[in-house]
Amino acid sequence: MSGSELNLLGVAGGEKRDFLMQLVKSLHERGGFLVQTIKSVGVLSVAKTMGALYAALGLLFLPFFLLIGLAGSMIPNQGGQNPFAGAVGMFFGLLAPVFYGVLGFIFGALGAFLYNLIAKWLGGIEVQLQPTGVQSAIG
């Protein structure tokens, strides 16, 4: 039972308290609603997940970076076409997923660390969970 439920039961007296106790127990047993709070998150797990997500986004943008690099090589300058402009653009395009992944890891870790600090002061994010069906025991 959460602290807010205990506070509610502490205020109510006699029959009201018994009724509320039965209601909370019934809802808990049937899985009617479960409000839980995310008090903290694993900094490394968030960092790994965000790094992988941003690397995937870098892969998604890779064709666009390569096309821009190719188009850049076709733009003439004063001395004619610059063959290295396209190579540099394509090189950075190929590095984009790695660059995005590293930045996602760093900023994911920083964000998770800051969330943990702020959640201590404000209590975290409340989420309402609803059971979806029969769960099998994995063990």
Side-chain angles (χ1 to χ4, degrees), residues 36-90:
Q36 297 183 355
T37 303
I38 302 171
K39 294 288 187 179
S40 69
V41 293
V43 174
L44 186 59
S45 69
V46 171
K48 289 188 297 187
T49 303
M50 293 304 292
L53 178 66
Y54 275 65
L57 286 173
L59 285 173
L60 184 68
F61 295 140
L62 179 64
F64 301 107
F65 290 138
L66 293 177
L67 284 174
I68 291 169
L70 182 63
S73 70
M74 294 181 192
I75 297 174
N77 59 15
Q78 292 176 353
Q81 289 185 341
N82 186 355
F84 296 112
V88 170
M90 286 196 252

Side-chain angles (χ1 to χ4, degrees), residues 38-47 108-125:
I38 302 171
K39 294 288 187 179
S40 69
V41 293
V43 174
L44 186 59
S45 69
V46 171
L110 181 62
F113 177 75
L114 290 174
Y115 175 83
N116 289 340
L117 286 178
I118 292 170
K120 286 181 184 177
W121 296 330
L122 301 177
I125 296 174

